[in-house]
Amino acid sequence: MSDIFREVDEEVRRDKAQEIWRKHGPKFIAAALLFIASVAGWQFWQSQQLKQRAAAGAAFEAAIAEANGDKPEAQASLTALSAGRSGSYPALSRIRLASEMARTAKDDAARANAISAFDAIAADSALPNEWRELAKLRAGLLLIDSAPLAEIEKRLSPLISANGIFRHSAREGVALSAWRHKENAKALDALQAIILDAETPQGLRQRAELLLAVVRAGPIR
């Protein structure tokens, strides 16, 4: 008897399954096809993104090689790359382009253009904070020979914190500007902070010690 009941139960389940399939089978098929298409589309998109990033990386490396070789087309290549809208390479290209503008500047107008390029990077909230702080530092250092001490302090002091990545270079910039403007007390404070900071790079510490000796010696009579 149990075999008969089992067969009847299986028959009922089979009939119900067939009925469900007749009613909803097309929907199941459509859902499965949509899922497969979505997965394929996602994989295609990822593949295209990888190709684009690889191409951008290769173009960036080529532009850097041009810049390192002092080739005249370097800035044009970096400018083209900086116009991109995704990934890290456009921002990296902007930073390197501003650096090239500063390195090759031969007059105040060209130097001002480089400072403006760094200021634009520093003001871009879409960029990582470290990159923005680097741009602030570079702009401030470019102004040391021409700007008042107050301007240099305004630009560089925010970078001087206990854990600031660029605090050492920012202090050096303030010290140089203070020394240039004969504000020896401020120069001494900045230089001593550099020397006393255990994390100051050795090369920068040596420069600070040398400048500290010059400041303490006073003006040449």
Side-chain angles (χ1 to χ4, degrees):
M1 291 292 292
S2 60
D3 291 340
I4 295 174
F5 288 129
R6 189 180 302 109
E7 291 177 3
V8 171
D9 188 49
E10 289 176 355
E11 187 70 24
V12 170
R13 284 200 299 269
R14 187 162 48 248
D15 290 342
K16 286 184 178 180
Q18 290 175 346
E19 182 180 355
I20 291 172
W21 180 255
R22 282 195 300 270
K23 289 183 178 180
H24 304 291
K27 296 179 183 178
F28 294 154
I29 294 172
L33 291 174
L34 180 61
F35 176 75
I36 293 170
S38 298
V39 171
W42 171 252
Q43 290 177 336
F44 175 77
W45 181 83
Q46 283 188 315
S47 174
Q48 292 299 108
Q49 290 293 305
L50 287 173
K51 289 180 181 178
Q52 290 175 7
R53 285 197 290 269
F60 180 73
E61 289 179 4
I64 295 302
E66 291 173 354
N68 291 338
D70 287 328
K71 294 184 178 179
E73 62 268 28
Q75 290 196 19
S77 298
L78 289 167
T79 299
L81 284 170
S82 68
R85 297 186 177 182
S86 62
S88 300
Y89 290 112
L92 291 172
S93 298
R94 289 173 64 189
I95 294 172
R96 184 56 189 260
L97 176 60
S99 298
E100 286 300 304
M101 293 169 64
R103 185 179 67 84
T104 59
K106 292 181 172 56
D107 53 39
D108 290 341
R111 194 170 294 105
N113 287 336
I115 292 168
S116 295
F118 279 123
D119 283 341
I121 295 168
D124 191 342
S125 60
L127 298 179
N129 189 57
E130 293 81 2
W131 296 7
R132 297 173 63 194
E133 289 191 346
L134 174 61
K136 292 175 184 177
L137 174 67
R138 294 298 307 277
L141 295 180
L142 284 172
L143 284 165
I144 287 176
D145 290 334
S146 59
L149 174 59
E151 175 70 12
I152 301 302
E153 288 181 315
K154 179 182 177 182
R155 285 175 171 270
L156 298 184
S157 292
L159 303 178
I160 302 173
S161 63
N163 298 314
I165 298 175
F166 304 110
R167 65 185 184 277
H168 315 294
S169 296
R171 285 169 177 158
E172 185 180 34
V174 171
L176 287 169
S177 182
W179 178 58
R180 177 178 174 275
H181 289 90
K182 298 181 174 57
E183 294 281 354
N184 286 359
K186 287 187 176 181
L188 287 171
D189 287 343
L191 292 169
Q192 287 171 341
I194 292 172
I195 295 168
L196 293 174
D197 191 329
E199 296 182 356
T200 298
Q202 186 60 29
L204 199 156
R205 187 191 304 278
Q206 291 174 349
R207 292 199 303 271
E209 290 171 346
L210 178 60
L211 183 55
L212 181 64
V214 172
V215 174
R216 282 177 171 169
I220 298 174
R221 299 182 185 279

